[in-house]
Amino acid sequence: MIVIVGGGPAGAAAAITLARGGAAPLLLERDAATREKVCGEFLGADAAAALATLGIDLPALGAVPVRRAVFAAGGREGRFELPFVAWSLPRLVLDEALLRAAEAAGAEVRRGVAVAAASEDAGGWTLRLADGGVQRARHLVLATGKHELRGLGRGAGAGSIGLKLPLAGVPIGDAIAVLACAGGYAGLQPRAGGGANLCLALKPGAPGLAEAARDAAALVALVSAGSRAARDLLRDAEPLWQRPMAVAAVPYGYVAPAESRAFRVGDQAAVIPSLCGDGIAMALGSGIQAARAILAGHGAATHQAAWGAHVRPGMRVAGLLDSALARGPRMVATLAGWAPGLARWAARQTRLGSPGA
Ligand SMILES: Cc1cc2nc3c(=O)[nH]c(=O)nc-3n(C[C@H](O)[C@H](O)[C@H](O)COP(=O)(O)OP(=O)(O)OC[C@H]3O[C@@H](n4cnc5c(N)ncnc54)[C@H](O)[C@@H]3O)c2cc1C
């Protein structure tokens, strides 16, 4: 039995690929129904290609195209055309479509089943379920995203804070705006079905963070204060939630070591700075790669080594971009406008979603 723990993009991609390969996997997802997740919901060309492979038709699901990018900080802003057509689709829609595709491919998907802990023995894995049950597994695909499973924590340490808030009344058009603000940055892009999605990555202790995490208006004010472009874009913004959704301890830059015993996928395998908008693509790519490794009889360490080697060069570029934006946001905004070729190069270098070797 191959058991996948977690039904986000990584777990679903692994389930679809395994089921298509004739493996009849079992996927355990703790949420009884698909829910919102803290995510900018930007899908680059690599995510779109992986989704097409998995049978997901983005336009048919109502995804909206994103063709341009704006970087803004203070009074500076730089605009450029993306080197590919990107898409925006709410995670509620995307995650549900992927889980249904997994079921249609022949995977067993059990929702509302949380795994509390995992331990390994000579014959495979024993998974202790939160309801007191036990599930055995020959192979374990760990797709729990940012959540650590007892016995298999990443040990990634402290990290950034993520916040998400859908808005109405934002004239964002077909652009993704990266808006510098105190303690980090926000991504703003059109949301399928109307409105826009505002998503922030902030350092712990960022000024105004505590209030912004509690209050939608304070969050909009925090982003508006960071740049003239944000002020203009958010002038008539109406928050669709009273309170933003938040996630803590996001370990940007983490790459799982090759000695991993379980097949780690998605955020359990690597976490790219949100600025690049490639986490979903990497979740899909690593899920597909892990499934292929299992079908080919390779071990988890082989999968982890291949995925690490595949993502490290792009993760280095992403890390440089992230620290440049933190140290010199105005310089980054200026450069994006002066040297759009460089900005497009960086956007291409940070598309890491295709499966590794
Ligand atoms: C601020 C921010 C902005 C971002 N913006 C973007 C963006 O614009 N574009 C992009 O591509 N990426 C973005 N990302 C990254 C992206 O959201 C993640 O990389 C992606 O969701 C990872 O997918 P996953 O399948 O690994 O994990 P998840 O999507 O988190 O799914 C994990 C699943 O596992 C389940 N689970 C957890 N623990 C258990 C358990 N014990 N038992 C059973 N089930 C369990 C959860 O309920 C969940 O459904 C952003 C991230 C942040 C923090």
Side-chain angles (χ1 to χ4, degrees), residues 140-208:
L140 174 62
V141 178
L142 194 60
T144 53
K146 55 197 78 60
H147 309 280
E148 311 299 354
L149 197 60
R150 188 145 38 97
L152 282 172
R154 288 171 295 180
S160 297
I161 317 288
L163 296 165
K164 173 181 181 176
L165 182 66
L167 302 166
V170 178
I172 187 69
D174 62 354
I176 163 111
V178 178
L179 307 165
C181 61
Y185 56 87
L188 181 70
Q189 66 171 31
R191 189 164 157 94
N197 185 30
L198 182 66
C199 197
L200 283 77
L202 298 177
K203 299 268 178 269

Short mmCIF file of all heavy atoms in Angstrom, two decimals, residues 140-208:
data_model
loop_
_atom_site.label_atom_id
_atom_site.label_comp_id
_atom_site.label_asym_id
_atom_site.label_seq_id
_atom_site.Cartn_x
_atom_site.Cartn_y
_atom_site.Cartn_z
N LEU A 140 5.57 5.79 2.02
CA LEU A 140 4.87 6.96 2.55
C LEU A 140 5.26 8.19 1.73
O LEU A 140 6.45 8.51 1.59
CB LEU A 140 5.28 7.18 4.02
CG LEU A 140 4.75 8.45 4.68
CD1 LEU A 140 3.23 8.47 4.71
CD2 LEU A 140 5.32 8.58 6.09
N VAL A 141 4.25 8.87 1.18
CA VAL A 141 4.48 10.15 0.49
C VAL A 141 4.03 11.24 1.45
O VAL A 141 2.85 11.30 1.82
CB VAL A 141 3.71 10.22 -0.85
CG1 VAL A 141 3.94 11.58 -1.52
CG2 VAL A 141 4.14 9.08 -1.78
N LEU A 142 4.97 12.09 1.86
CA LEU A 142 4.67 13.11 2.86
C LEU A 142 4.35 14.43 2.16
O LEU A 142 5.23 15.09 1.62
CB LEU A 142 5.87 13.27 3.79
CG LEU A 142 5.60 14.04 5.08
CD1 LEU A 142 4.53 13.36 5.93
CD2 LEU A 142 6.88 14.18 5.88
N ALA A 143 3.05 14.78 2.17
CA ALA A 143 2.58 15.95 1.41
C ALA A 143 1.77 16.87 2.32
O ALA A 143 0.75 17.41 1.92
CB ALA A 143 1.73 15.47 0.23
N THR A 144 2.26 17.05 3.54
CA THR A 144 1.48 17.81 4.54
C THR A 144 1.71 19.31 4.46
O THR A 144 1.27 20.05 5.34
CB THR A 144 1.82 17.31 5.96
OG1 THR A 144 3.24 17.34 6.13
CG2 THR A 144 1.32 15.90 6.19
N GLY A 145 2.42 19.78 3.42
CA GLY A 145 2.61 21.22 3.26
C GLY A 145 3.42 21.78 4.40
O GLY A 145 4.47 21.27 4.77
N LYS A 146 2.91 22.85 5.01
CA LYS A 146 3.64 23.52 6.08
C LYS A 146 3.48 22.81 7.41
O LYS A 146 4.12 23.16 8.39
CB LYS A 146 3.17 24.97 6.20
CG LYS A 146 1.68 25.09 6.40
CD LYS A 146 1.14 26.47 6.14
CE LYS A 146 0.99 26.81 4.68
NZ LYS A 146 0.08 25.96 3.89
N HIS A 147 2.62 21.80 7.47
CA HIS A 147 2.35 21.12 8.74
C HIS A 147 3.34 19.98 8.95
O HIS A 147 3.54 19.17 8.06
CB HIS A 147 0.93 20.58 8.76
CG HIS A 147 -0.08 21.62 8.39
ND1 HIS A 147 -0.54 22.57 9.26
CD2 HIS A 147 -0.68 21.88 7.20
CE1 HIS A 147 -1.38 23.37 8.65
NE2 HIS A 147 -1.48 22.97 7.39
N GLU A 148 3.92 19.94 10.16
CA GLU A 148 4.90 18.88 10.45
C GLU A 148 4.17 17.68 11.02
O GLU A 148 3.25 17.81 11.83
CB GLU A 148 5.94 19.38 11.46
CG GLU A 148 6.57 20.72 11.12
CD GLU A 148 7.33 20.74 9.80
OE1 GLU A 148 7.48 19.69 9.15
OE2 GLU A 148 7.76 21.84 9.40
N LEU A 149 4.60 16.51 10.60
CA LEU A 149 4.03 15.27 11.13
C LEU A 149 4.97 14.76 12.22
O LEU A 149 6.18 14.70 12.00
CB LEU A 149 3.94 14.25 9.99
CG LEU A 149 3.02 13.07 10.22
CD1 LEU A 149 1.60 13.55 10.47
CD2 LEU A 149 3.04 12.17 8.99
N ARG A 150 4.38 14.40 13.39
CA ARG A 150 5.20 13.93 14.50
C ARG A 150 6.04 12.73 14.04
O ARG A 150 5.53 11.81 13.40
CB ARG A 150 4.32 13.55 15.69
CG ARG A 150 5.08 13.23 16.94
CD ARG A 150 4.35 13.68 18.21
NE ARG A 150 2.92 13.50 18.16
CZ ARG A 150 2.27 12.45 18.67
NH1 ARG A 150 2.93 11.47 19.24
NH2 ARG A 150 0.95 12.38 18.61
N GLY A 151 7.32 12.80 14.30
CA GLY A 151 8.23 11.73 13.88
C GLY A 151 8.93 12.06 12.58
O GLY A 151 9.93 11.44 12.23
N LEU A 152 8.41 13.07 11.85
CA LEU A 152 8.99 13.39 10.54
C LEU A 152 9.10 14.90 10.30
O LEU A 152 9.06 15.36 9.15
CB LEU A 152 8.13 12.78 9.42
CG LEU A 152 8.31 11.28 9.19
CD1 LEU A 152 7.27 10.77 8.22
CD2 LEU A 152 9.70 10.97 8.66
N GLY A 153 9.23 15.69 11.36
CA GLY A 153 9.32 17.15 11.22
C GLY A 153 10.52 17.54 10.36
O GLY A 153 11.52 16.84 10.33
N ARG A 154 10.41 18.68 9.65
CA ARG A 154 11.50 19.13 8.79
C ARG A 154 12.65 19.72 9.59
O ARG A 154 13.76 19.83 9.08
CB ARG A 154 11.00 20.20 7.79
CG ARG A 154 10.12 19.66 6.71
CD ARG A 154 9.50 20.79 5.90
NE ARG A 154 8.59 21.60 6.71
CZ ARG A 154 7.90 22.65 6.26
NH1 ARG A 154 8.04 23.03 5.01
NH2 ARG A 154 7.09 23.32 7.05
N GLY A 155 12.37 20.17 10.82
CA GLY A 155 13.41 20.83 11.61
C GLY A 155 13.90 22.08 10.91
O GLY A 155 15.08 22.43 10.97
N ALA A 156 12.98 22.78 10.23
CA ALA A 156 13.38 23.92 9.41
C ALA A 156 13.52 25.21 10.22
O ALA A 156 14.00 26.21 9.71
CB ALA A 156 12.37 24.13 8.28
N GLY A 157 13.10 25.21 11.48
CA GLY A 157 13.27 26.40 12.33
C GLY A 157 12.24 27.48 12.05
O GLY A 157 11.21 27.23 11.41
N ALA A 158 12.55 28.70 12.51
CA ALA A 158 11.60 29.81 12.40
C ALA A 158 11.47 30.25 10.94
O ALA A 158 12.29 29.89 10.10
CB ALA A 158 12.07 30.97 13.25
N GLY A 159 10.45 31.02 10.65
CA GLY A 159 10.28 31.48 9.27
C GLY A 159 9.39 32.70 9.20
O GLY A 159 9.09 33.33 10.21
N SER A 160 8.94 33.01 7.98
CA SER A 160 8.15 34.22 7.74
C SER A 160 6.68 33.99 8.05
O SER A 160 6.23 32.88 8.27
CB SER A 160 8.30 34.65 6.28
OG SER A 160 9.64 34.99 6.02
N ILE A 161 5.93 35.10 8.02
CA ILE A 161 4.49 35.06 8.24
C ILE A 161 3.80 35.30 6.89
O ILE A 161 4.20 36.20 6.15
CB ILE A 161 4.03 36.21 9.18
CG1 ILE A 161 4.98 36.38 10.37
CG2 ILE A 161 2.57 36.05 9.61
CD1 ILE A 161 4.94 35.34 11.40
N GLY A 162 2.78 34.52 6.58
CA GLY A 162 2.00 34.73 5.37
C GLY A 162 0.59 35.19 5.73
O GLY A 162 0.00 34.71 6.69
N LEU A 163 0.06 36.15 4.96
CA LEU A 163 -1.29 36.67 5.20
C LEU A 163 -2.02 36.75 3.86
O LEU A 163 -1.41 37.10 2.84
CB LEU A 163 -1.23 38.08 5.81
CG LEU A 163 -0.60 38.20 7.20
CD1 LEU A 163 -0.28 39.66 7.50
CD2 LEU A 163 -1.52 37.63 8.26
N LYS A 164 -3.31 36.46 3.87
CA LYS A 164 -4.08 36.50 2.62
C LYS A 164 -5.41 37.22 2.84
O LYS A 164 -6.06 37.02 3.87
CB LYS A 164 -4.36 35.08 2.16
CG LYS A 164 -5.30 34.96 0.97
CD LYS A 164 -5.51 33.50 0.64
CE LYS A 164 -6.41 33.30 -0.54
NZ LYS A 164 -6.52 31.88 -0.90
N LEU A 165 -5.79 38.05 1.85
CA LEU A 165 -7.04 38.80 1.96
C LEU A 165 -7.60 39.07 0.56
O LEU A 165 -7.00 39.83 -0.21
CB LEU A 165 -6.78 40.14 2.67
CG LEU A 165 -7.99 41.04 2.89
CD1 LEU A 165 -8.96 40.39 3.88
CD2 LEU A 165 -7.55 42.40 3.42
N PRO A 166 -8.73 38.48 0.19
CA PRO A 166 -9.36 38.84 -1.09
C PRO A 166 -10.03 40.21 -0.99
O PRO A 166 -10.56 40.57 0.06
CB PRO A 166 -10.41 37.74 -1.30
CG PRO A 166 -10.29 36.79 -0.17
CD PRO A 166 -9.47 37.43 0.90
N LEU A 167 -9.99 40.94 -2.11
CA LEU A 167 -10.50 42.32 -2.13
C LEU A 167 -11.40 42.54 -3.33
O LEU A 167 -11.20 41.92 -4.38
CB LEU A 167 -9.33 43.31 -2.25
CG LEU A 167 -8.24 43.28 -1.19
CD1 LEU A 167 -7.02 44.08 -1.66
CD2 LEU A 167 -8.76 43.85 0.12
N ALA A 168 -12.35 43.44 -3.19
CA ALA A 168 -13.11 43.95 -4.35
C ALA A 168 -12.63 45.37 -4.61
O ALA A 168 -11.98 45.98 -3.76
CB ALA A 168 -14.60 43.93 -4.04
N GLY A 169 -12.93 45.88 -5.80
CA GLY A 169 -12.64 47.29 -6.10
C GLY A 169 -11.18 47.60 -6.34
O GLY A 169 -10.71 48.68 -5.99
N VAL A 170 -10.45 46.66 -6.94
CA VAL A 170 -9.02 46.88 -7.21
C VAL A 170 -8.77 46.80 -8.72
O VAL A 170 -8.98 45.75 -9.32
CB VAL A 170 -8.16 45.81 -6.49
CG1 VAL A 170 -6.68 46.02 -6.80
CG2 VAL A 170 -8.40 45.85 -4.99
N PRO A 171 -8.34 47.90 -9.36
CA PRO A 171 -8.15 47.90 -10.82
C PRO A 171 -6.81 47.29 -11.22
O PRO A 171 -5.93 47.96 -11.74
CB PRO A 171 -8.20 49.40 -11.15
CG PRO A 171 -7.65 50.06 -9.92
CD PRO A 171 -8.02 49.20 -8.75
N ILE A 172 -6.67 45.98 -11.01
CA ILE A 172 -5.37 45.34 -11.22
C ILE A 172 -5.19 44.84 -12.66
O ILE A 172 -4.08 44.58 -13.11
CB ILE A 172 -5.17 44.20 -10.18
CG1 ILE A 172 -3.76 43.61 -10.23
CG2 ILE A 172 -6.21 43.11 -10.34
CD1 ILE A 172 -2.68 44.53 -9.76
N GLY A 173 -6.30 44.72 -13.41
CA GLY A 173 -6.20 44.28 -14.81
C GLY A 173 -5.63 42.88 -14.91
O GLY A 173 -6.02 41.99 -14.15
N ASP A 174 -4.66 42.70 -15.84
CA ASP A 174 -4.08 41.36 -16.00
C ASP A 174 -2.64 41.33 -15.49
O ASP A 174 -1.78 40.68 -16.06
CB ASP A 174 -4.15 40.91 -17.47
CG ASP A 174 -3.34 41.83 -18.38
OD1 ASP A 174 -2.82 42.86 -17.88
OD2 ASP A 174 -3.20 41.50 -19.57
N ALA A 175 -2.39 42.08 -14.39
CA ALA A 175 -1.02 42.19 -13.86
C ALA A 175 -0.91 41.54 -12.49
O ALA A 175 -1.88 41.45 -11.75
CB ALA A 175 -0.62 43.65 -13.76
N ILE A 176 0.31 41.11 -12.18
CA ILE A 176 0.66 40.77 -10.80
C ILE A 176 1.51 41.93 -10.30
O ILE A 176 2.46 42.34 -10.97
CB ILE A 176 1.42 39.44 -10.68
CG1 ILE A 176 2.14 39.30 -9.32
CG2 ILE A 176 2.47 39.23 -11.75
CD1 ILE A 176 1.55 38.28 -8.44
N ALA A 177 1.14 42.50 -9.15
CA ALA A 177 1.92 43.60 -8.58
C ALA A 177 2.65 43.07 -7.34
O ALA A 177 2.03 42.43 -6.49
CB ALA A 177 1.01 44.75 -8.20
N VAL A 178 3.95 43.31 -7.29
CA VAL A 178 4.72 42.99 -6.08
C VAL A 178 4.99 44.32 -5.39
O VAL A 178 5.67 45.19 -5.94
CB VAL A 178 6.03 42.25 -6.43
CG1 VAL A 178 6.84 41.98 -5.16
CG2 VAL A 178 5.73 40.94 -7.15
N LEU A 179 4.38 44.49 -4.22
CA LEU A 179 4.35 45.79 -3.55
C LEU A 179 5.15 45.71 -2.25
O LEU A 179 4.76 44.99 -1.32
CB LEU A 179 2.90 46.16 -3.25
CG LEU A 179 1.94 46.10 -4.46
CD1 LEU A 179 0.48 46.13 -4.01
CD2 LEU A 179 2.24 47.26 -5.42
N ALA A 180 6.28 46.42 -2.21
CA ALA A 180 7.10 46.41 -0.99
C ALA A 180 6.34 47.12 0.12
O ALA A 180 5.62 48.09 -0.12
CB ALA A 180 8.43 47.11 -1.26
N CYS A 181 6.48 46.61 1.34
CA CYS A 181 5.86 47.29 2.49
C CYS A 181 6.75 47.02 3.71
O CYS A 181 7.71 46.24 3.62
CB CYS A 181 4.43 46.80 2.72
SG CYS A 181 4.30 45.05 3.07
N ALA A 182 6.43 47.66 4.82
CA ALA A 182 7.28 47.52 6.01
C ALA A 182 7.39 46.05 6.40
O ALA A 182 6.38 45.39 6.59
CB ALA A 182 6.67 48.33 7.15
N GLY A 183 8.60 45.54 6.46
CA GLY A 183 8.82 44.17 6.93
C GLY A 183 8.61 43.09 5.90
O GLY A 183 8.65 41.90 6.22
N GLY A 184 8.41 43.47 4.62
CA GLY A 184 8.23 42.43 3.60
C GLY A 184 7.60 42.96 2.33
O GLY A 184 7.90 44.08 1.90
N TYR A 185 6.72 42.18 1.75
CA TYR A 185 6.09 42.58 0.49
C TYR A 185 4.73 41.89 0.35
O TYR A 185 4.44 40.91 1.04
CB TYR A 185 6.98 42.21 -0.72
CG TYR A 185 7.33 40.75 -0.78
CD1 TYR A 185 6.50 39.83 -1.40
CD2 TYR A 185 8.51 40.28 -0.19
CE1 TYR A 185 6.82 38.48 -1.44
CE2 TYR A 185 8.85 38.94 -0.22
CZ TYR A 185 8.00 38.04 -0.85
OH TYR A 185 8.32 36.70 -0.88
N ALA A 186 3.93 42.45 -0.57
CA ALA A 186 2.62 41.86 -0.88
C ALA A 186 2.57 41.53 -2.35
O ALA A 186 3.17 42.23 -3.18
CB ALA A 186 1.51 42.84 -0.53
N GLY A 187 1.86 40.49 -2.70
CA GLY A 187 1.54 40.19 -4.09
C GLY A 187 0.06 40.50 -4.28
O GLY A 187 -0.76 40.18 -3.42
N LEU A 188 -0.26 41.18 -5.39
CA LEU A 188 -1.66 41.52 -5.67
C LEU A 188 -1.94 41.12 -7.10
O LEU A 188 -1.22 41.52 -8.02
CB LEU A 188 -1.84 43.03 -5.50
CG LEU A 188 -3.24 43.60 -5.73
CD1 LEU A 188 -4.19 43.18 -4.61
CD2 LEU A 188 -3.19 45.13 -5.79
N GLN A 189 -2.96 40.30 -7.31
CA GLN A 189 -3.28 39.87 -8.67
C GLN A 189 -4.77 39.65 -8.80
O GLN A 189 -5.48 39.52 -7.80
CB GLN A 189 -2.49 38.62 -9.04
CG GLN A 189 -2.86 37.38 -8.26
CD GLN A 189 -2.19 36.12 -8.82
OE1 GLN A 189 -1.11 36.17 -9.37
NE2 GLN A 189 -2.85 34.99 -8.70
N PRO A 190 -5.27 39.61 -10.06
CA PRO A 190 -6.72 39.42 -10.23
C PRO A 190 -7.14 38.07 -9.69
O PRO A 190 -6.36 37.12 -9.67
CB PRO A 190 -6.90 39.48 -11.75
CG PRO A 190 -5.56 39.16 -12.33
CD PRO A 190 -4.57 39.67 -11.34
N ARG A 191 -8.38 38.00 -9.22
CA ARG A 191 -8.90 36.75 -8.67
C ARG A 191 -10.02 36.28 -9.57
O ARG A 191 -10.89 37.08 -9.95
CB ARG A 191 -9.42 37.01 -7.25
CG ARG A 191 -9.80 35.77 -6.47
CD ARG A 191 -9.90 36.12 -4.99
NE ARG A 191 -10.73 35.23 -4.22
CZ ARG A 191 -10.28 34.18 -3.54
NH1 ARG A 191 -9.00 33.87 -3.57
NH2 ARG A 191 -11.10 33.44 -2.82
N ALA A 192 -10.00 35.00 -9.92
CA ALA A 192 -11.06 34.45 -10.76
C ALA A 192 -12.40 34.71 -10.09
O ALA A 192 -12.53 34.57 -8.87
CB ALA A 192 -10.84 32.96 -10.95
N GLY A 193 -13.38 35.13 -10.86
CA GLY A 193 -14.68 35.42 -10.28
C GLY A 193 -14.81 36.89 -9.89
O GLY A 193 -15.83 37.30 -9.33
N GLY A 194 -13.77 37.69 -10.14
CA GLY A 194 -13.83 39.12 -9.83
C GLY A 194 -12.98 39.46 -8.63
O GLY A 194 -12.68 38.62 -7.80
N GLY A 195 -12.58 40.73 -8.54
CA GLY A 195 -11.78 41.18 -7.40
C GLY A 195 -10.31 40.83 -7.55
O GLY A 195 -9.83 40.54 -8.65
N ALA A 196 -9.61 40.87 -6.43
CA ALA A 196 -8.17 40.63 -6.45
C ALA A 196 -7.78 39.87 -5.19
O ALA A 196 -8.50 39.87 -4.19
CB ALA A 196 -7.43 41.97 -6.50
N ASN A 197 -6.63 39.22 -5.26
CA ASN A 197 -6.10 38.50 -4.10
C ASN A 197 -4.86 39.23 -3.60
O ASN A 197 -3.93 39.45 -4.37
CB ASN A 197 -5.75 37.06 -4.51
CG ASN A 197 -5.32 36.21 -3.33
OD1 ASN A 197 -5.77 36.44 -2.20
ND2 ASN A 197 -4.46 35.26 -3.57
N LEU A 198 -4.87 39.62 -2.34
CA LEU A 198 -3.72 40.29 -1.72
C LEU A 198 -3.07 39.28 -0.78
O LEU A 198 -3.74 38.73 0.09
CB LEU A 198 -4.20 41.52 -0.94
CG LEU A 198 -3.14 42.38 -0.27
CD1 LEU A 198 -2.24 43.05 -1.32
CD2 LEU A 198 -3.79 43.45 0.60
N CYS A 199 -1.78 39.04 -0.97
CA CYS A 199 -1.11 38.03 -0.16
C CYS A 199 0.26 38.56 0.26
O CYS A 199 1.02 39.04 -0.58
CB CYS A 199 -0.98 36.75 -0.97
SG CYS A 199 -0.63 35.33 0.05
N LEU A 200 0.55 38.51 1.55
CA LEU A 200 1.79 39.11 2.06
C LEU A 200 2.74 38.06 2.62
O LEU A 200 2.30 37.06 3.19
CB LEU A 200 1.47 40.07 3.22
CG LEU A 200 0.90 41.44 2.87
CD1 LEU A 200 -0.57 41.33 2.52
CD2 LEU A 200 1.08 42.39 4.03
N ALA A 201 4.02 38.35 2.50
CA ALA A 201 5.05 37.59 3.22
C ALA A 201 5.81 38.60 4.06
O ALA A 201 6.43 39.52 3.51
CB ALA A 201 5.98 36.90 2.23
N LEU A 202 5.75 38.45 5.38
CA LEU A 202 6.36 39.42 6.28
C LEU A 202 7.32 38.72 7.24
O LEU A 202 7.11 37.56 7.60
CB LEU A 202 5.28 40.14 7.11
CG LEU A 202 4.25 40.97 6.34
CD1 LEU A 202 3.22 41.54 7.30
CD2 LEU A 202 4.91 42.08 5.54
N LYS A 203 8.35 39.45 7.65
CA LYS A 203 9.26 38.93 8.66
C LYS A 203 8.55 38.97 10.01
O LYS A 203 7.78 39.91 10.28
CB LYS A 203 10.51 39.80 8.74
CG LYS A 203 11.30 39.84 7.45
CD LYS A 203 12.36 38.76 7.42
CE LYS A 203 13.13 38.75 6.12
NZ LYS A 203 12.58 37.88 5.09
N PRO A 204 8.82 37.99 10.90
CA PRO A 204 8.23 38.09 12.24
C PRO A 204 8.68 39.40 12.89
O PRO A 204 9.82 39.81 12.70
CB PRO A 204 8.84 36.89 12.99
CG PRO A 204 9.47 36.03 11.97
CD PRO A 204 9.72 36.85 10.74
N GLY A 205 7.78 40.06 13.59
CA GLY A 205 8.13 41.33 14.24
C GLY A 205 8.06 42.52 13.31
O GLY A 205 8.44 43.63 13.68
N ALA A 206 7.57 42.33 12.07
CA ALA A 206 7.43 43.46 11.13
C ALA A 206 6.51 44.51 11.75
O ALA A 206 5.51 44.15 12.39
CB ALA A 206 6.84 42.97 9.81
N PRO A 207 6.83 45.82 11.58
CA PRO A 207 5.98 46.84 12.18
C PRO A 207 4.55 46.76 11.66
O PRO A 207 4.35 46.64 10.45
CB PRO A 207 6.65 48.16 11.75
CG PRO A 207 7.78 47.81 10.85
CD PRO A 207 7.97 46.34 10.84
N GLY A 208 3.59 46.77 12.56
CA GLY A 208 2.18 46.75 12.16
C GLY A 208 1.64 45.35 11.90
O GLY A 208 0.45 45.18 11.61
#
